[in-house]
Amino acid sequence: FNVGQYRREYTKIYKSFEFFRPDNEEGLKIRQHCASAALNDVRQYLANEGGQVAVFDATNTTRERRMTIFEFAEQNGFKVFFVESICEDPVVIQENI
C-alpha cells in the first residue's frame, strides 16, 4: 500500500518539491487524502480479504501521521510497528535529491 502510488494516481498537477512543502495546504490535503485511502484499503485487505500482513509504505515523518496510523491500527484491532531506514551515504542521498 504505497501512498506515493495513490498520490500519483490521484493527481498529475504536482511535479515538483513544492507539493511536499509543509506550508502547501492544498498539497497537505491531497497527501492526507491519499494516506487515508491507502489505510482504508489496508483495512479492507486485512479485515475482509483474508490478508495477514499489510505494509503501509510512506515516509510517515511527523508525529501526527504516526499517531494517525497507530490509532487506525488500534481502532481496527491490528498490530503495528514502524520500520525506519537511515541513509548517511552522500552518494545515495545526492541521487535521491
Side-chain angles (χ1 to χ4, degrees):
F1 301 90
N2 181 289
V3 176
Q5 187 62 36
Y6 284 75
R7 176 183 41 80
R8 285 185 286 279
E9 290 175 12
Y10 183 80
T11 183
K12 306 286 185 205
I13 59 174
Y14 287 100
K15 299 290 185 188
S16 76
F17 72 93
E18 296 289 331
F19 178 79
F20 297 99
R21 290 178 53 103
D23 60 348
N24 181 341
E25 291 185 27
E26 183 181 5
L28 177 60
K29 287 179 186 176
I30 292 170
R31 293 192 310 272
Q32 289 172 335
H33 171 80
C34 293
S36 179
L39 286 174
N40 286 332
D41 286 350
V42 164
R43 179 187 304 116
Q44 176 69 23
Y45 174 72
L46 293 175
N48 301 322
E49 297 176 14
Q52 298 288 318
V53 174
V55 175
F56 182 76
D57 182 10
T59 54
N60 306 315
T61 57
T62 66
R63 288 182 179 175
E64 293 82 10
R65 175 63 65 84
R66 289 183 186 196
M67 184 55 71
T68 297
I69 295 165
F70 183 78
E71 290 171 353
F72 165 84
E74 192 173 62
Q75 291 168 356
N76 288 282
F78 304 147
K79 295 178 182 175
V80 65
F81 68 94
F82 295 94
V83 176
E84 183 174 1
S85 174
I86 299 172
C87 176
E88 296 175 342
D89 183 332
V91 174
V92 173
I93 294 169
Q94 187 61 39
E95 289 175 355
N96 284 281
I97 293 179

